[in-house]
Amino acid sequence: MAWAPTWDMCEAEGVLALLEMCSRPPFEAARARKRPSRRVMTEQRDFAGGDDLASLLWRIASGDRPAFRTLYDAQSPRLYAVAMRITRQPALASDAMHDAFLQVWRNASQFDSARGTPESWLLSLVRYRALDIARNRGREVLRDAMPEQVDPDPDALAQLVQRREAASLHQCLERLEPERRDLVALAFVDGLSHSELAERIKMPLGTVKSWIRRSLIALRACLDGVS
Amino acid sequence: MSGSDGSGEPGDDAAAADPHVRAGELVLGVLTSGEAAGVRRAAMTDFDLADAIVRWEVQLAPLADAAGLLPPPAELWPRIEASVAAPQPGTAGNVVALGGASGNAGRAEAGRANDNQADDRRVGLWRGATAAALALAAVLAAVAFLPHPAAPVQIAALVPASAPAPAFLAQVGADNVVVVSAISPAAVPNNRDLELWLLPPGAAAPVSLGVLPATGRTLTLPGPQPAGTQLLVSLEPRGGSTTGQPTGPVLYGGALGRS
């Protein structure tokens, strides 16, 4: 590669670009630097360690505050980045994180494997709270003001293709038409609503809804087939 | 032709009704707050929809890695820690007499034994999955210590909208007294209150039953309620909604079944 993709470019190209281009060399130093903070997340099946997410949630459910702090330290950079992408404002992202972590503290006992993985449960708490806050407190004014300090994590992107569920998702996204694939990624990562998506890509609202529905149907069929 | 949203592509109405599509739209985050609340409400009684939501949550989660890592501001942890240390709002001052727990447990177990029958909605929220059995065990354990109205004839579990784990148990007596008991502590952000709502089948809008302390509350319903009437709990500004309708997300809910 004679050139290096920028974050903006990766974002514009959608998730496949993120996976493929954005995980290449210029980001390797950052990758090495960040590895330790992702340890709990990526080694969650290492139950012997006792610090995997499921164990931490069990300990939190019994009122273990050090475990709560460990979980926060391990997960907050990942989750805050998600909250920032959705709310676009540090104050709102912090509110979403505060509310979500309070739910974690109070409802950790309600997590069980029927509700997904610990990782997806935590992510969902933060995303839904951030989406609620973004929708209810008028993100409109700052919609395009991307925070400059948001830092794409190439390590995460590299890992995406290594983790099995991520590989399936990657494979299935790749089968979508590029513009629909980008729409799915924009919706999930940036938390854009149907109407915000329509505005962003300058297409009629009905078309956007229809594309999202068709993408979901295609993804569902594909994910059921590969997993 | 003509989707309900005017999208104009054939087959969209069928697609819009597909639980995987509705769940996917919720998880992607493309719905308005009102639409999302509607899907969550439906998921309380539609298990295919609830399952579909969890599957998307797990399968789409890797996409969030694209947001990267961003350390939160240093003041966030102390704020969370302070909220965790703060006492829960409300106290257990609204309980009535203890007793008769074995009767409730027996009814709940009978409900579970019948949970393959589509028309048996009594305790149908808990399906045969291991996790559900654990949840049921938790409820039964809680029921043994719960106050309950005289001769309960209706029972509902109000669960978090995002997944099937009970948060409150509502027991309605023949005297229309309903005891709403907290099974696990509800998360109530600072400066917010939970509000309880009654939504009869087919009603266009819910009726407020007032603010619900996180520890639960005993109150009297306006009259006998038909099976299928929903009890919903929304998150509202401190003191409750000022509009007469829910203004915040519906966090918990469940339908009354005849016991």
Side-chain angles (χ1 to χ4, degrees):
Chain A
M1 282 316 257
W3 54 275
T6 64
W7 169 240
D8 285 342
M9 196 183 304
C10 292
E11 191 195 23
E13 292 290 320
V15 69
L16 287 192
L18 287 171
L19 296 179
E20 291 162 5
M21 296 193 304
C22 302
S23 59
R24 285 178 186 157
F27 300 101
E28 278 186 339
R31 182 187 311 177
R33 198 168 61 240
K34 282 173 180 148
R35 183 161 289 127
S37 65
R38 300 184 65 82
R39 185 177 62 86
V40 169
M41 181 176 138
T42 55
E43 295 178 6
Q44 60 172 289
R45 286 182 180 80
D46 176 19
F47 289 102
D51 263 6
D52 64 278
L53 288 180
S55 300
L56 285 172
L57 288 174
W58 272 109
R59 287 163 57 193
I60 292 165
S62 67
D64 184 335
R65 292 210 187 170
F68 189 47
R69 178 65 199 250
T70 303
L71 180 88
Y72 178 85
D73 287 344
Q75 292 288 305
S76 60
R78 168 177 91 97
L79 297 173
Y80 184 71
V82 167
M84 269 301 272
R85 279 297 283 261
I86 293 174
T87 64
R88 307 295 165 87
Q89 297 177 60
L92 300 187
S94 291
D95 283 355
M97 288 284 282
H98 170 268
D99 294 354
F101 270 88
L102 220 53
Q103 280 182 276
V104 170
W105 174 253
R106 292 175 177 170
N107 299 336
S109 63
Q110 292 177 11
F111 172 76
D112 61 60
S113 57
R115 305 180 60 175
T117 64
E119 200 178 336
S120 71
W121 186 65
L122 293 170
L123 175 68
S124 296
L125 287 178
V126 171
R127 283 189 72 249
Y128 292 141
R129 196 68 201 108
L131 286 167
D132 271 345
I133 287 173
R135 303 274 147 86
N136 292 334
R137 296 199 212 162
R139 180 178 53 184
E140 304 299 321
V141 279
L142 290 174
R143 181 177 317 137
D144 293 317
M146 278 299 296
E148 287 174 13
Q149 72 271 35
V150 164
D151 179 6
D153 176 27
D155 190 31
L157 303 170
Q159 285 169 7
L160 186 48
V161 287
Q162 290 165 14
R163 299 186 348 224
R164 200 185 55 162
E165 69 274 26
S168 302
L169 178 63
H170 177 252
Q171 185 184 330
C172 292
L173 281 169
E174 206 166 29
R175 294 188 195 172
L176 298 179
E177 291 170 40
E179 68 270 26
R180 301 190 183 192
R181 175 197 310 150
D182 288 348
L183 212 54
V184 169
L186 259 183
F188 191 84
V189 180
D190 291 279
L192 298 188
S193 67
H194 277 133
S195 53
E196 289 169 330
L197 287 170
E199 199 177 312
R200 174 72 69 96
I201 67 166
K202 311 262 186 290
M203 295 291 285
L205 179 60
T207 304
V208 165
K209 288 188 179 182
S210 181
W211 280 10
I212 290 279
R213 284 175 189 156
R214 280 147 197 273
S215 300
L216 287 168
I217 289 169
L219 274 180
R220 178 82 278 140
C222 178
L223 288 167
D224 286 348
V226 298
S227 55
Chain B
M1 196 72 193
S2 86
S4 55
D5 49 43
S7 57
E9 291 206 30
D12 276 357
D13 281 336
D18 181 336
H20 295 298
V21 170
R22 296 172 71 204
E25 288 174 336
L26 174 75
V27 176
L28 272 186
V30 293
L31 301 180
T32 64
S33 294
E35 290 167 340
V39 176
R40 288 171 195 288
R41 232 179 351 257
M44 292 169 195
T45 50
D46 180 341
F47 304 119
D48 290 336
L49 183 59
D51 285 348
I53 290 170
V54 172
R55 291 186 69 201
W56 282 121
E57 285 175 352
V58 171
Q59 289 177 317
L60 293 178
L63 274 175
D65 289 357
L69 296 177
L70 183 64
E75 59 269 22
L76 179 58
W77 172 253
R79 186 179 157 205
I80 292 171
E81 207 173 24
S83 295
V84 161
Q88 298 265 331
T91 62
N94 47 17
V95 295
V96 296
L98 286 166
S102 61
N104 285 323
R107 266 188 292 280
E109 279 173 345
R112 184 167 172 255
N114 290 333
D115 69 4
N116 287 331
Q117 299 176 16
D119 59 348
D120 186 342
R121 290 288 177 134
R122 277 179 299 178
V123 198
L125 282 172
W126 300 301
R127 292 194 300 169
T130 306
L134 287 174
L136 180 65
V139 170
L140 295 182
V143 162
F145 300 99
L146 291 175
H148 70 94
V153 295
Q154 291 179 307
I155 186 167
L158 279 56
V159 305
S162 56
F168 290 96
L169 187 71
Q171 296 171 268
V172 184
D175 51 1
N176 299 320
V177 169
V178 55
V179 177
V180 182
S181 312
I183 289 171
S184 56
V188 186
N190 292 336
N191 303 318
R192 307 294 285 276
D193 271 325
L194 299 178
E195 186 161 354
L196 185 64
W197 304 86
L198 186 71
L199 183 65
V207 177
S208 175
L209 296 174
V211 166
L212 177 68
T215 48
R217 188 181 147 212
T218 299
L219 63 149
T220 303
L221 295 178
Q225 300 300 320
T229 295
Q230 292 196 77
L231 285 170
L232 305 170
V233 178
S234 68
L235 187 63
E236 300 293 346
R238 181 61 59 105
S241 168
T242 54
T243 67
Q245 288 298 304
T247 61
V250 173
L251 301 178
Y252 311 107
L256 291 174
R258 201 55 67 177
S259 73

